[in-house]
Amino acid sequence: EAKKAASAVFDRLDRDHDGTLDRRELRGRLTPRELDAADPDHDKTLTKDDYLALVERRFNAANPDRDGTVDAKELRTKAGQALLKLLR
């Protein structure tokens, strides 16, 4: 569900429809440092695959009990809040 939601968010954010998100399109969802870390080819953009991989990493960080769900308590953590930034 998180990946499906993230895919829809990516499509909505990709205003120029070039298949990537740049710093402007990400609108504060990532710090410059986080963007650099999530950008495997260092072109200062994220493809949909890059974005979904980042969502997966943040989901796993927010899901310490590894039950495949992120509950309200987990969403209130720092990791949960980082995940939510990408899904809104």
Side-chain angles (χ1 to χ4, degrees):
E1 289 180 31
K3 279 190 172 183
K4 184 177 178 181
S7 180
V9 169
F10 182 96
D11 292 341
R12 188 185 56 184
L13 294 175
D14 185 16
R15 294 185 189 273
D16 60 6
H17 306 288
D18 68 350
T20 65
L21 297 178
D22 59 29
R23 186 182 77 245
R24 181 185 49 79
E25 290 169 315
L26 287 164
R27 290 180 284 170
R29 284 175 169 75
L30 297 175
T31 66
R33 186 180 200 166
E34 290 169 332
L35 176 58
D36 286 343
D39 178 16
D41 60 2
H42 305 292
D43 66 351
K44 300 193 187 306
T45 66
L46 297 181
T47 65
K48 186 180 274 193
D49 287 341
D50 298 337
Y51 193 77
L52 295 178
L54 177 58
V55 167
E56 183 173 1
R57 286 191 301 275
R58 288 196 175 181
F59 181 93
N60 290 335
N63 182 33
D65 59 8
R66 302 287 184 239
D67 67 352
T69 64
V70 178
D71 61 32
K73 181 180 176 184
E74 291 167 330
L75 285 175
R76 287 190 297 270
T77 67
K78 185 176 179 179
Q81 292 299 302
L83 173 62
L84 285 176
K85 283 175 105 174
L86 297 179
L87 298 177
R88 292 187 176 159

